[in-house]
Amino acid sequence: MAILRRQFAAALAVTGLGVGLAGCAVSQDRAGSTPVGVADSLYWNGPILTMNDAQPQVEAVAVRAGRIVAAGTRADVARWQGSTTQVVDLQGRTLIPGFVDPHSHLGGVGLQAIAANLLPPPDGPNTGIAQLQETLRRYINTSPDVRELQVAFGFGYDDSQLSERRHPTRDELDAVSTTLPIVAIHQSGHFAALNSKALERAGITAQTPDPQGGVIRRRAGSREPDGVLEENAYFGALQHLMPRLTVEQSVGWLEKSQALYLQFGYTTVQDGRADPGGVDTAIAAAKMGKLKVDVVSYPDILTMGEGRFMQGPYYSRNYQQHFRIGGVKLTLDGSPQGKTAWLTQPYLQPPAGQPASYAGYGVMSNAQATAQIEKAFANNWQILVHANGDAAIDQMIQGVQAARARYDSAGTLQDRRPVLIHGQTLRRDQVDKIKALGIFPSLFPMHTYYWGDWHRSSVLGDPRAQNISPTGWVLAQGMRFTTHHDAPVVLPSSIRVLDATVNRTTRSGQVLGPEHRVSPWIALQAMTLWPAWQHFEAEHKGSIEVGKLADLVVLSGNPLTVPHAQLIDLKVLQTIKEGVVVYQAP
């Protein structure tokens, strides 16, 4: 043991590890005992949280060839130290497994990366429509992407946070430009405001009917579009407005997106509801060796044609050059903060022009939804279902019940692991139903911060607002869950996900649904081990255990010991993918 202490003391004396933390130390001394093998790297001298309930914390970790080969006491792990081993002194910082993204849109973050930042505080400066206009003008005048693409995208405005409490209109965007198409995308990703030039390019006029599952908002007393498009009206218009990109441009967008995830410690990223172009781009990036994270894609079941992606080599439980297709995605309704989620009871304050009975709307009929879910079950595809409103959740439950009855053998619940995405207004009685059906909940507690006050005052009112993303009810039923950010709806900030899942504090400082707060340990499991399980990857990821991939994150502090109110102040200092540092904080 005296030799071991001298080795670690020697490690402290050497500084400047090029691939490690700033100020970390490297030891080139060989262990005194006969090593069981030579590790590439060894981490010690900081809290190491494994996310493994059987061994929650260890003193040191050894990594070789991208995998964890030892996790335990310093003495045990030191046996892996050799002359080439880099011994990383954490200096009191915390090592945890890499974050596994349970739901977001990698391709959408690429668009966000090149768009004008229309987000409100704390992620952007925009609190009113005049500021939105100025942000867009400045972006148009300075962005090389606008000159190259000949269309101006802005992302992230939020009518609930604008002083006017409404969406910008085509006239207000025309005041920015009448010659360049402008597409201002709502923070939810379910709306957009277009100027007249963009409406013209999308072919939307007074004669254009509303599509199924979408609304073209009109000027008062007229059929003339006011510029705001909801749901499928927006998604359809975007197909006409997105420029055709070269493979190099598309991959470049994806690399910008990936860099943002790495900054927040994500080592596995989901691309939910990927369109065919997005899947092709990810495959191209993989072949070019551009992916530093693992990307698991879930193509939109409605837009993948005959399912060519589900028949090719990338539909697999194994990654090829950091990419695979994990299943399919189905969307059943819209956004609660945008008041297009499909509820069983009316909104507290309906949108302008809607009756008091307005409760949002679904994207498709019950029969259509069931047919798509049955299609996934028939092919043994894992299906992720976007359902925010409790009426949409009922529709998913009905579809899974029908699919189970048709494709599961009597008395056997085959583990296809269907996932409820968002589940914002999941009712207590629905928790029992999804448990019985084997539906896994991926919830969205970040709403408590970004839109919690809005849900209470305008969208749902109490008690419904108190129970959004009801993690407490799920845990009470003995179920696991995951917690996500849904980027680009918000930035893929792992720290804000953690904070919101533990604290459920709104912008105004109120606690929304105190019974649904969870411990930091549970919140971290819901961001690491449990999403790995959601993706059928828990044998290889999500915890610091021997044999698993060395996907790791170094945090500035220990989430288990800092005061809960200070979780939001934690920083990701380093992201490590399979033993290689892929992000280093400045």
Side-chain angles (χ1 to χ4, degrees), residues 197-368:
K197 194 66 176 178
L199 288 169
E200 177 187 326
R201 181 173 293 186
I204 295 175
T205 68
Q207 288 70 47
T208 306
D210 290 350
Q212 181 184 12
V215 172
I216 301 170
R217 293 193 181 181
R218 318 281 176 165
R219 288 172 171 163
S222 166
R223 291 284 301 168
E224 192 67 27
D226 73 358
V228 179
L229 306 179
E230 299 181 10
E231 303 296 342
N232 282 348
Y234 157 56
F235 299 135
L238 196 59
Q239 297 177 17
H240 300 283
L241 291 160
M242 280 297 296
R244 292 188 179 275
L245 303 178
T246 65
V247 172
E248 290 74 17
Q249 286 174 318
S250 297
V251 171
W253 283 22
L254 196 66
E255 287 185 277
K256 291 179 180 180
S257 177
Q258 175 180 244
L260 195 57
Y261 283 88
L262 288 173
Q263 177 183 333
F264 292 110
Y266 285 95
T267 52
T268 299
V269 175
Q270 186 189 109
D271 194 11
R273 200 183 183 184
D275 60 22
V279 177
D280 286 334
T281 296
I283 291 173
K287 289 180 176 178
M288 295 164 65
K290 299 293 187 180
L291 296 182
K292 298 179 181 180
V293 297
D294 285 340
V295 176
V296 56
S297 177
Y298 288 82
D300 188 336
I301 194 171
L302 300 178
T303 63
M304 63 182 195
E306 297 301 315
R308 64 183 174 96
F309 298 122
M310 312 306 293
Q311 299 163 9
Y314 289 98
Y315 173 54
S316 170
R317 295 282 168 82
N318 300 313
Y319 288 89
Q320 297 186 48
Q321 297 170 293
H322 295 297
F323 179 75
R324 75 179 181 94
I325 294 171
V328 293
K329 174 79 182 290
L330 176 66
T331 299
L332 295 182
D333 72 341
S335 152
Q337 69 269 37
K339 301 184 180 179
T340 57
W342 186 19
L343 306 175
T344 57
Q345 301 298 319
Y347 281 91
L348 182 65
Q349 295 179 7
Q354 296 289 352
S357 60
Y358 174 80
Y361 50 88
V363 171
M364 61 188 68
S365 68
N366 289 341
Q368 290 171 320

Side-chain angles (χ1 to χ4, degrees), residues 313-443:
Y314 289 98
Y315 173 54
S316 170
R317 295 282 168 82
N318 300 313
Y319 288 89
Q320 297 186 48
Q321 297 170 293
H322 295 297
F323 179 75
R324 75 179 181 94
I325 294 171
V328 293
K329 174 79 182 290
L330 176 66
T331 299
L332 295 182
D333 72 341
S335 152
Q337 69 269 37
K339 301 184 180 179
T340 57
W342 186 19
L343 306 175
T344 57
Q345 301 298 319
Y347 281 91
L348 182 65
Q349 295 179 7
Q354 296 289 352
S357 60
Y358 174 80
Y361 50 88
V363 171
M364 61 188 68
S365 68
N366 289 341
Q368 290 171 320
T370 296
Q372 295 302 325
I373 294 172
E374 287 189 343
K375 178 179 179 181
F377 272 59
N379 289 282
N380 285 313
W381 298 336
Q382 185 185 29
I383 186 167
L384 315 185
V385 180
H386 167 119
N388 266 310
D390 61 330
I393 298 169
D394 280 336
Q395 190 176 59
M396 179 189 180
I397 290 170
Q398 176 182 311
V400 173
Q401 283 176 329
R404 290 282 189 206
R406 185 171 181 181
Y407 294 105
D408 280 352
S409 59
T412 301
L413 195 69
Q414 187 170 333
D415 189 12
R416 295 180 181 86
R417 215 164 291 181
V419 179
L420 167 63
I421 297 293
H422 304 325
Q424 289 280 22
T425 57
L426 181 67
R427 302 190 309 266
R428 191 189 292 265
D429 66 289
Q430 289 175 324
V431 174
D432 297 331
K433 294 176 182 177
I434 66 171
K435 179 180 180 180
L437 289 167
I439 296 172
F440 184 82
S442 182
L443 302 177

Side-chain angles (χ1 to χ4, degrees), residues 43-59:
Y43 296 85
W44 78 292
N45 194 28
I48 300 176
L49 312 181
T50 67
M51 296 300 104
N52 173 14
D53 287 324
Q55 189 184 31
Q57 196 160 333
V58 295
E59 293 180 345

